[in-house]
């Protein structure tokens, strides 16, 4: 009996900044996460510092992404929700499932453009450069 091989992590860290996380934005936000998960990231940090609204659909998407991240051996975390969003996450008990970092200590600031390698990028054991990504999901008015 063979054990399924875990896909190799191609991107160690991806940060996603979301301004609204509700049913109206779900198709666009879901597409971003679908594309992001094809990279097999080691960690995805969802920055909610500028998020003004989250509803059950947004929470459901976070849970779905969390489940999919677990399958590939990755971690999904939430960073800096405002107090209102933090209460919603607590009420939904999402804070008991996902790491929620309030102080921004979840990861260091990443200034490298998506897919770009910074000049001081680390090199993995396999000799491949470590690439960091950042995505932003905004709401169309």
């Amino acid at each position: 009996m063979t054990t399924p091989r875990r896909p190799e992590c191609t991107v160690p860290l991806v940060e996603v900044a979301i301004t609204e996380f509700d049913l109206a934005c779900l198709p666009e936000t879901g597409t971003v996460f679908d594309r992001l998960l094809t990279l097999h990231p080691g960690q995805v940090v969802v920055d909610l510092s500028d998020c003004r609204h989250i509803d059950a659909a947004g929470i459901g998407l976070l849970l779905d992404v969390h489940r999919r991240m677990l399958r590939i051996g990755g971690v999904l975390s939430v960073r800096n929700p405002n107090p209102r969003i933090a209460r919603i996450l607590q009420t939904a008990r999402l804070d008991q499932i996902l790491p929620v970092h309030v102080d921004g200590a979840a990861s260091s600031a990443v200034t490298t453009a998506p897919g770009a390698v910074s000049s001081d990028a680390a090199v993995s054991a396999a000799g491949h450069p470590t690439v960091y990504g950042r995505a932003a999901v905004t709401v169309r008015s």
Side-chain angles (χ1 to χ4, degrees):
M1 188 158 148
T2 61
T3 311
R5 189 169 180 263
R6 180 188 175 271
E8 187 174 325
C9 171
T10 58
V11 178
L13 172 67
V14 177
E15 295 181 355
V16 180
I18 299 177
T19 56
E20 287 196 32
F21 211 174
D22 58 10
L23 184 59
C25 305
L26 203 60
E28 292 172 357
T29 307
T31 300
V32 168
F33 281 116
D34 288 342
R35 289 181 181 169
L36 176 132
L37 290 173
T38 63
L39 300 173
H40 303 288
Q43 180 180 10
V44 174
V45 178
V46 178
D47 186 341
L48 296 178
S49 58
D50 292 328
C51 185
R52 300 175 304 219
H53 180 70
I54 189 168
D55 66 5
I59 290 170
L61 181 59
L62 282 175
L63 289 170
D64 180 57
V65 172
H66 167 70
R67 177 182 49 80
R68 292 166 64 190
M69 286 291 295
L70 286 176
R71 280 190 202 150
I72 63 172
V75 176
L76 175 70
S77 62
V78 175
R79 181 175 58 208
N80 291 333
N82 66 41
R84 184 174 141 321
I85 300 293
R87 280 192 305 276
I88 292 169
L89 297 178
Q90 288 171 350
T91 301
R93 296 185 182 213
L94 199 65
D95 63 329
Q96 295 178 8
I97 298 169
L98 300 177
V100 177
H101 305 279
V102 177
D103 58 359
S107 65
S108 60
V110 177
T111 57
T112 306
V117 178
S118 66
S119 59
D120 60 342
V123 176
S124 70
H128 304 307
T130 302
V131 180
Y132 295 93
R134 170 170 272 177
V137 179
T138 57
V139 177
R140 294 183 189 154
S141 301

